[in-house]
Amino acid sequence: TQLLEQSPQFLSIQEGENLTVYCNSSSVFSSLQWYRQEPGEGPVLLVTVVTGGEVKKLKRLTFQFGDARKDSSLHITAAQPGDTGLYLCAGSPGSQNFVFGPGTRLSVLP
Amino acid sequence: DVKVTQSSRYLVKRTGEKVFLECVQDMDHENMFWYRQDPGLGLRLIYFSYDVKMKEKGDIPEGYSVSREKKERFSLILESASTNQTSMYLCASSAPLGSYTDTQYFGPGTRLTVL
């Protein structure tokens, strides 16, 4: 059973477009993390959200944690080729181990 | 900044060899993890450790063992490497699960090829 689902699985857009990717679960998480991973590298942490309804901004990236702490979204404004990568969400449902979503593979074309 | 380092970025071994992958973190984290990542299968947890000399099996522990003699170091051992263990291996560390700062931080990964 996949505790964290991500959508879309793949996304290919032109430079300058906006996009939103989603991370959903039926479980409550104490926090959720978003990572970006480039080919051949380890995942790099982008943000951790911990409070229901929280919105965090990181330059052109906006992260939101759902009010019930079961879902999160990542919105990218004016995407650039450097945003290309695999976006993973992850969290710890209570005191259990970490779970990861399958990822959204984003390709931003120049 | 948190730093998680892995002993090798690329490794090529032969079937049957014993392989050691080492991971070191500098944040005094209690928890350390080993994952493998394969196309279409995502990250799969091999083993994790909550404390020195403690280890717990993850989802796919078969063919692997681990060692944690010091808090900052967590080693993954392939007792007898096989071709189906060719993969990207990722180490991570975190504060205690459920704590305010239980975010996982990852190393750069080791790309292991078993011939």
Side-chain angles (χ1 to χ4, degrees):
Chain A
T1 304
Q2 186 73 48
L3 285 182
L4 277 172
E5 298 180 346
Q6 291 188 244
S7 60
Q9 188 177 359
F10 299 96
L11 187 57
S12 182
I13 61 171
Q14 292 294 134
E15 182 176 1
E17 292 184 13
N18 301 333
L19 66 114
T20 303
V21 298
Y22 300 92
C23 174
N24 297 292
S25 175
S26 58
S27 301
V28 175
F29 288 83
S30 57
S31 66
L32 276 180
Q33 290 83 46
W34 283 94
Y35 297 85
R36 180 170 65 225
Q37 185 179 22
E38 298 185 18
E41 302 290 333
V44 175
L45 178 70
L46 296 174
V47 78
T48 297
V49 286
V50 297
T51 306
E54 180 178 9
V55 176
K56 279 191 173 179
K57 292 194 175 187
L58 185 67
K59 296 184 180 177
R60 292 176 295 100
L61 279 60
T62 302
F63 304 86
Q64 186 161 7
F65 201 12
D67 291 340
R69 292 186 292 137
K70 293 183 179 181
D71 56 85
S72 182
S73 64
L74 159 59
H75 181 80
I76 301 179
T77 303
Q80 299 177 1
D83 296 326
T84 293
L86 178 68
Y87 288 81
L88 295 163
C89 67
S92 172
S95 60
Q96 298 173 36
N97 211 336
F98 285 96
V99 294
F100 283 82
T104 292
R105 191 165 294 280
L106 172 65
S107 177
V108 181
L109 306 174
Chain B
D1 284 348
V2 175
K3 194 164 186 182
V4 180
T5 58
Q6 295 184 227
S7 51
S8 305
R9 292 299 306 274
Y10 301 93
L11 211 51
V12 179
K13 295 291 182 180
R14 295 209 173 270
T15 301
E17 281 192 81
K18 192 169 186 177
V19 182
F20 292 88
L21 302 181
E22 292 201 320
C23 175
V24 177
Q25 51 96 2
D26 66 357
M27 277 299 290
D28 200 36
H29 280 161
E30 287 79 3
N31 302 331
M32 297 189 75
F33 308 82
W34 275 107
Y35 295 88
R36 62 178 286 176
Q37 186 178 31
D38 302 285
L41 297 176
L43 274 81
R44 292 183 291 168
L45 181 64
I46 304 171
Y47 267 97
F48 58 99
S49 169
Y50 290 139
D51 202 351
V52 175
K53 296 192 185 296
M54 293 185 68
K55 59 185 179 184
E56 296 285 343
K57 292 181 180 180
D59 300 320
I60 51 164
E62 296 80 17
Y64 303 94
S65 62
V66 291
S67 172
R68 193 162 180 205
E69 296 297 319
K70 293 185 178 181
K71 191 175 185 179
E72 67 271 18
R73 189 179 297 269
F74 193 34
S75 301
L76 179 69
I77 302 152
L78 286 65
E79 296 289 342
S80 178
S82 63
T83 55
N84 64 10
Q85 291 178 310
T86 291
S87 186
M88 174 70 138
Y89 289 88
L90 292 163
C91 174
S93 72
S94 80
L97 298 179
S99 65
Y100 185 81
T101 57
D102 64 357
T103 299
Q104 280 192 318
Y105 295 89
F106 283 86
T110 295
R111 171 74 64 186
L112 172 67
T113 301
V114 183
L115 302 175

